[in-house]
Amino acid sequence: MARMLIGGEAVASESENTYEVRNPATGAVVDTAPAGTAADVERAVKAAETAFGEWADTTPEDRGRALMNACDLIKEASGEIAQLLTQEQGKTLFEANLEIHHLLHGLEFYAGLASKVRGAQVPLPQKGAYGMVLRQPIGVCGGIVPWNFPLTLMGTKLGPALAAGNTIIIKPASTTPLATLRAVEQIQKATYADGKKTLPAGAVNVVTGSGSVVGEELLKHPRVRRIAFTGSTEVGRHVMEVAGREIKRVTLELGGSDPMIVMDDANVDTAVKMADVGRFFNCGQMCLGVKRLFLHESIANSFIDGLADILRKKTLGNGMQKESRMGPLHMEYQRAEVEEQVEEARSRGAKVVVGGARATGEGLDKGYFYEPTLLTDVPMDARVSREEVFGPALPIYRFTDLDEAIELANSSEYGLGASIWTRNLLAANKAIERLQAGNVWVNSLHYGYDELPFGGVKASGLGREHGPEALDYYVETKGVVVVNV
Ligand code: NDP
């Protein structure tokens, strides 16, 4: 049985209740996890508060050293962590290892920045007086993480939180607690001060259990001063409302419906390959996935043929098997949702080029598998055009003019990422300026760069993760005036 991590110890829930974590590829039970309660959150808050006293007092360099050592310790257990991730989430082992790679890169990035959280000295108009801007840690933070990238999305919260001197309570998605617990078990052992000190017990805690109990308690708890949430727009609205009552600092990374616009002068071969990765990596369960593909009329047919060819050859299967290139959807509910969205589009005239059904065959019947799907002739008011499609289905639209493509791309309520594929500098610049998105890529898609800020506009969220910018959301800024008398 897996245990929660509170105050440096592996513990059961005070209620002693547990629940089963199942493998989406087979339906088999991977392990059981504690069903956390409000009392467990209270324990974690106390532990994180105690640890804050010590952690905020360490030197920034030591914080960086501890994060670097945490990376070494995660590497030691990476084989085991990857297997847990594949079994509980459904992604392939290749994808799980890539996720660990991104987690490590992110933690290393914030290890380097720990000693660069700077304030300022400000000249004032009064003689003998000067101002200072201090940037101080906030205190106990709560990180609420979804199931699509349990490790990297935990890292985008834990890295900057610890680097800036805060402590944190992680609430993983209830369906994916295991890899997170194993990774944090390693992080807790991290040392600094030439190996003489260990991360204070309670600097990082993991409380497992449901969003409606554990998540809700983190939102309401008055001594959790900062909430970093990644998940659906619907729950994001609720997070802001509840956390807002306590005037907490909140960042929200929510859904997206990223457009990919391919112009007639694009490198089509590269764009086809990237459309495949951009939509079907992680079985299409990415906030940043290519969710609407806009093709210039003159290249549309060859583009669709090329992409359909790749998809027909994709091997679906249990992520633990080497030959699998795409795993199942994470939940039955997720598959049903994608099925309904595809069916609604089909009933309104959309054509299925490839896929459009549950995947069947040996080893696939017990998992939530769905064929990689391409749809053309899709009405702009179909569900797949308006909503986020969180699975392996891609609606395709044709256009003849860039202004038209940008207008259609911007017609979504979301604004997370967007890409344009062209060799024309003017077209690229127009798209960069006009696309309503927190992130725009030219001849590229998101590579999860830690170096750049990442976040959404419109219904896609609030605030930024990644980049030095993320640190701004883990500090309080204090203005100070000193007068020499
Ligand atoms: P949710 O937003 O429900 O879950 C995300 C996290 O929030 C989980 O840890 C969840 O816990 C927690 N949570 C749920 N309810 C509350 C609450 N009341 N208070 C505090 N925390 C809560 O997303 P789903 O997992 O249900 O996915 C639904 C849809 O959201 C997807 O189809 C997709 O469209 C979108 N999504 C977007 C993601 C992104 O990366 N932007 C990631 C995941 C989903 P628990 O697991 O226990 O419910």
Side-chain angles (χ1 to χ4, degrees), residues 4 25 31 51 53-54 58 63 72 115 118 123 145 150 273 280 291 311 315 325 341 344 381 439:
M4 298 195 267
D31 202 346
E54 186 183 334
T58 50
R63 287 179 213 146
D72 292 338
S115 57
R118 288 182 182 168
V145 182
K273 285 182 200 129
F280 299 98
K291 306 218 175 104
L311 299 183
T315 311
R325 291 292 169 272
Q341 287 170 317
E344 194 256 4
D381 58 353
N439 315 268

Side-chain angles (χ1 to χ4, degrees), residues 19-23 26-32 87 178:
Y19 66 92
E20 289 173 341
V21 177
R22 287 181 179 270
N23 184 333
T26 62
V29 176
V30 185
D31 202 346
T32 56
Q87 287 171 39
L178 304 176

Side-chain angles (χ1 to χ4, degrees), residues 11 36-37 146 195 209 238 240 279 292 334 366 392 404 439 444 473:
V11 295
T37 62
H238 175 74
M240 201 162 166
R279 174 67 285 200
R292 294 171 297 147
Q334 286 295 139
K366 292 201 175 105
E404 176 199 357
N439 315 268
S444 175
Y473 298 91

Side-chain angles (χ1 to χ4, degrees), residues 145 147-148 171 173-174 210-211 215-216 229 232 254 287 334 388:
V145 182
W147 44 263
N148 57 342
K171 187 241 153 318
S174 44
S210 76
E216 197 72 26
F229 172 83
S232 62
L254 309 176
C287 50
Q334 286 295 139
E388 177 171 41

Side-chain angles (χ1 to χ4, degrees), residues 291-294 341-342 344-346 348-353 373-386 389 393-398 408:
K291 306 218 175 104
R292 294 171 297 147
L293 178 59
F294 295 93
Q341 287 170 317
V342 169
E344 194 256 4
R346 208 196 307 238
R348 307 203 35 219
K351 294 197 180 84
V352 176
V353 180
T373 298
L374 293 184
L375 297 167
T376 57
D377 303 275
V378 185
M380 283 313 290
D381 58 353
R383 287 185 59 193
V384 290
S385 309
R386 288 182 288 111
V389 180
L394 180 59
I396 300 173
Y397 315 86
R398 293 166 188 254
L408 291 173

Side-chain angles (χ1 to χ4, degrees), residues 153-224:
L153 295 174
M154 183 250 306
T156 55
K157 295 156 183 62
L158 182 147
L162 290 186
N166 304 281
T167 55
I168 191 162
I169 302 166
I170 298 290
K171 187 241 153 318
S174 44
T175 50
T176 54
L178 304 176
T180 302
L181 286 167
R182 188 66 191 90
V184 172
E185 216 177 286
Q186 295 298 96
I187 293 171
Q188 283 185 335
K189 292 189 265 182
T191 60
Y192 60 96
D194 294 329
K196 293 191 195 88
K197 290 198 163 188
T198 311
L199 205 66
V204 182
N205 307 273
V206 182
V207 182
T208 57
S210 76
S212 57
V213 177
V214 176
E216 197 72 26
E217 192 56 27
L218 282 173
L219 301 184
K220 285 196 292 203
H221 200 298
R223 300 201 311 281
V224 177

